[in-house]
Amino acid sequence: MHGQITQQRRIRKSELHIVLGEAVLAKMRVRGEQLMHARKSGLWFYSDHRWELQTSCRWLEVRVAEACEGLGFTVNNRLVNETRRWIEYRPELWRDDDIPWDQHGKIPTRSGLIDPITGELEPARPDHYCTWRVEVDYDPDAKCPWWETMIADVFGDKSNDEQRELVRVVQECFGAALIDKKPRGLAKACVFWGNENRAKSGVLDVVAGLLGRPISASISSIDGNHGLMPFVRRAPWVLHEAFNPGQWHISSSVKAIVTGEPVQINIKNGPMLSQVVRAPIFWATNGQPQFKESTRAIVSRLIVIETTRKFDVAKPIGAAAEAKRRGFSKPGEFVVATELPGVLNWAIAGLKRAIKRGFIETTNSIEATAKAIHNDSNLVAGFLEDCVEFDPNARLRIADFCLAHSAWWLELKGESRKLPSNEAINKALKALGEARICTDRDDDLRDKSGRYYAGMKLNKAGLRYHSMAYESRIFEGKTMTATTPTGEVNSHVPATWDQKEGVIKMRAAFERVTGSMTDAVTSSEMTSLSVTSSS
């Protein structure tokens, strides 16, 4: 004890924290560790080939206390705090520029970084700025026969061709989750939708095993003050029951995460971070995914795969039967314990295909599901599909459009949902960005009886809904400016409107799709033509 006091007295009291700080940094260098203070996010610590954002100062205070004891200094809170602050604000540790976190374009593993195209392996360095890795040792010869059996069984009720295509989509989603620097076409959220006992959770168990400890924050929880804190670390966002049946999810934070926009992460007792969340998203749900949004922003980033094969828990087959035989409670647990190096290779094979193509190619059934979700998310998308014909020479009063829509809405969706206002209907129509409909206020599409949309008319179903609504007391507030059913609900665009900019653009869009200005076609026919032309 006397020796410790003597040593401490040799150093001026004002320099103790500097000596301690230099000792802490020196020991870090010996261990291959580094510190970096990023201006936009805070203090980062590099160890075991990864960088980690430190949202608490406790770990550094422990390092300082260790150095105190090693040097024989007396540990006290003031000295520890002064040393920590000296370390945190060392000029050589500061970075003012944007740091390219995880933008090396390679797959980080325990063995190093794998080039997804060539398969070449290289050690991970600090300047790769890795913040995560696949906790698997790379073995290019590893196989995963039971995983391949398991994922094929999920779609065992499909035709052979569709089964192969759905497995391919899942494989490419797994692969795209292995890298952060990728084209937008690979940045997709994968959602498994089906009733109970459809093997959805088993697939997510393998995702979590491959990509690391998952984020399990529910969709409804992330809008709280500190709800986004789990997304500070790069980890898969895995939810085994993402959606509540019949409930719309309108979180702006969810939309930002899914669409790759920056979010504000409020760290409790820490900084406010602005960052793009690159967490791979894998969700399962018993109910249809539902988002209250007018555009296709969210739906276009989702790959929703319906799982319809029901499994009998009492009579396991395939990988589930083998898992039970070997003493595992679930097939996903069995695959994670025995085949992860092979699953990694399986995912890399999917990534190679997706990178070469530039996007994850889906199937007709997946596209149909996406269309159904969008039609349910946008107030008017389904109405256009059911009740409207596109016609470059037709116009429809906005009041009549909203009246017919309201009756359609009440019949199909009104049981648990509030009747939308005319303003909400108008906004939803404009948000669709349908170029074959002129909705521009600047063109002043009006006459003495009201304002119009140009480029469409109600079909037989639409006229039926219009008549029902007009004759019902429920819609009295919407019938005041509507056309009587015996009147001219559908009318022609007057010649005086032919030179209006919006009408010209509408007709040009119609001609681009049909190649003709003479024939009006239905919304469903238009969709079919659009799909055919894009193919």
Side-chain angles (χ1 to χ4, degrees):
M1 177 64 72
H2 182 273
Q4 294 178 358
I5 295 173
T6 303
Q7 182 179 352
Q8 188 166 338
R9 283 175 176 170
R10 292 197 193 107
I11 304 169
R12 284 185 296 179
K13 189 175 181 180
S14 61
E15 297 176 348
L16 287 178
H17 68 285
I18 298 175
V19 173
L20 275 174
E22 290 175 341
V24 171
L25 294 177
K27 192 167 186 178
M28 285 184 180
R29 286 191 290 270
V30 170
R31 292 175 173 175
E33 299 170 342
Q34 291 187 26
L35 280 179
M36 178 171 61
H37 206 142
R39 178 177 59 84
K40 293 184 178 181
S41 53
L43 190 66
W44 290 79
F45 177 54
Y46 179 79
S47 178
D48 196 19
H49 308 292
R50 285 174 295 180
W51 288 95
E52 182 180 359
L53 178 63
Q54 302 301 309
T55 58
S56 168
C57 61
R58 281 292 180 191
W59 71 277
L60 187 52
E61 291 173 353
V62 171
R63 292 289 184 96
V64 173
E66 288 177 349
C68 276
E69 294 177 355
L71 292 172
F73 292 175
T74 301
V75 180
N76 61 73
N77 288 338
R78 179 177 178 180
L79 180 58
V80 169
N81 289 332
E82 286 180 346
T83 306
R84 173 179 57 79
R85 286 195 295 269
W86 181 86
I87 293 173
E88 289 178 344
Y89 293 101
R90 294 303 303 149
E92 65 270 21
L93 302 181
W94 273 78
R95 288 282 298 269
D96 289 326
D97 55 331
D98 291 326
I99 300 167
W101 300 113
D102 299 305
Q103 294 302 291
H104 43 73
K106 299 182 179 180
I107 304 164
T109 71
R110 285 200 301 234
S111 303
L113 303 182
I114 305 170
D115 187 303
I117 303 301
T118 66
E120 294 179 355
L121 190 68
E122 67 172 303
R125 303 187 308 269
D127 60 349
H128 283 127
Y129 300 109
C130 300
T131 67
W132 72 282
R133 71 183 180 192
V134 179
E135 291 299 332
V136 176
D137 293 318
Y138 180 49
D139 177 1
D141 298 321
K143 307 296 182 184
C144 53
W146 287 113
W147 164 246
E148 292 186 18
T149 298
M150 176 180 167
I151 193 62
D153 283 345
V154 171
F155 308 111
D157 60 334
K158 313 293 185 184
S159 68
N160 289 338
D161 288 344
E162 186 174 6
Q163 180 192 51
R164 283 193 296 270
E165 284 299 289
L166 290 171
V167 170
R168 175 191 57 74
V169 173
V170 176
Q171 186 179 18
E172 292 180 9
C173 287
F174 269 55
L178 297 175
I179 59 173
D180 285 31
K181 185 180 181 180
K182 54 195 172 190
R184 193 174 180 84
L186 269 64
K188 301 286 185 176
C190 185
V191 183
F192 296 93
W193 170 24
N195 292 330
E196 293 181 359
N197 298 325
R198 298 303 193 272
K200 306 185 299 293
S201 288
V203 177
L204 299 192
D205 289 341
V206 176
V207 169
L210 179 67
L211 299 178
R213 181 169 58 91
I215 296 167
S216 58
S218 67
I219 289 176
S220 59
S221 72
I222 66 174
D223 277 333
N225 286 338
H226 307 292
L228 289 172
M229 276 187 60
F231 295 92
V232 167
R233 63 186 179 93
R234 197 280 196 188
W237 189 9
V238 176
L239 298 178
H240 287 263
E241 188 49 64
F243 302 95
N244 296 322
Q247 178 181 335
W248 263 335
H249 296 78
I250 57 175
S251 167
S252 59
S253 296
V254 172
K255 182 176 180 180
I257 292 173
V258 171
T259 58
E261 301 299 324
V263 296
Q264 300 295 316
I265 302 179
N266 186 1
I267 304 298
K268 191 172 184 179
N269 301 320
M272 178 74 78
L273 306 180
S274 176
Q275 69 180 55
V276 174
V277 173
R278 296 189 176 89
I281 298 174
F282 288 86
W283 295 337
T285 178
N286 290 345
Q288 176 181 319
Q290 293 180 305
F291 295 95
K292 190 176 182 181
E293 67 144 2
S294 300
T295 68
R296 292 185 61 92
I298 292 180
V299 173
S300 65
R301 297 292 291 275
L302 299 181
I303 293 179
V304 182
I305 303 173
E306 290 192 67
T307 56
T308 55
R309 184 180 187 181
K310 185 175 182 178
F311 292 86
D312 189 341
V313 178
K315 298 178 181 179
I317 64 170
E322 182 66 13
K324 183 177 180 180
R325 188 184 71 81
R326 297 199 193 186
F328 292 95
S329 61
K330 298 184 293 184
E333 177 186 327
F334 163 51
V335 169
V336 169
T338 61
E339 292 191 341
L340 275 189
V343 174
L344 173 61
N345 290 338
W346 179 85
I348 292 174
L351 176 59
K352 286 182 180 179
R353 281 198 310 269
I355 289 177
K356 184 176 181 180
R357 191 188 306 114
F359 59 92
I360 298 174
E361 185 176 33
T362 59
T363 67
N364 290 336
S365 64
I366 292 174
E367 291 301 316
T369 299
K371 183 178 179 181
I373 293 172
H374 173 59
N375 285 352
D376 199 47
S377 300
N378 182 285
L379 297 177
V380 302
F383 178 72
L384 291 184
E385 187 77 18
D386 296 344
C387 301
V388 164
E389 291 181 7
F390 291 97
D391 185 336
N393 299 309
R395 67 177 184 173
L396 179 64
R397 286 181 65 191
I398 293 176
D400 292 322
F401 179 89
C402 293
L403 181 63
H405 175 277
S406 296
W408 171 86
W409 178 270
L410 187 64
E411 181 177 290
L412 272 68
K413 305 173 185 290
E415 183 176 335
S416 59
R417 300 183 186 178
K418 182 180 177 182
L419 191 68
S421 66
N422 285 8
E423 182 180 3
I425 295 171
N426 292 332
K427 286 182 178 179
L429 179 61
K430 292 177 181 179
L432 281 177
E434 175 51 71
R436 293 163 290 176
I437 300 175
C438 179
T439 63
D440 197 343
R441 281 180 176 271
D442 294 338
D443 280 306
D444 195 27
L445 303 184
R446 69 168 66 234
D447 60 19
K448 61 182 179 180
S449 63
R451 294 180 58 247
Y452 290 81
Y453 294 133
M456 67 172 171
K457 61 186 178 182
L458 296 179
N459 61 17
K460 289 182 180 179
L463 289 171
R464 179 174 61 84
Y465 282 117
H466 179 275
S467 179
M468 288 169 51
Y470 194 89
E471 295 169 0
S472 172
R473 292 184 178 181
I474 299 176
F475 306 102
E476 283 183 351
K478 297 198 176 193
T479 58
M480 295 176 61
T481 57
T483 306
T484 174
T486 57
E488 192 179 23
V489 177
N490 294 323
S491 59
H492 291 284
V493 173
T496 54
W497 289 9
D498 287 347
Q499 299 308 310
K500 290 182 180 289
E501 184 179 355
V503 174
I504 293 172
K505 289 181 179 179
M506 172 269 291
R507 288 173 169 166
F510 185 93
E511 192 168 5
R512 282 197 299 272
V513 177
T514 65
S516 171
M517 282 287 292
T518 58
D519 298 318
V521 296
T522 65
S523 173
S524 59
E525 289 171 337
M526 278 290 197
T527 301
S528 176
L529 285 168
S530 298
V531 171
T532 302
S533 63
S534 64
S535 300

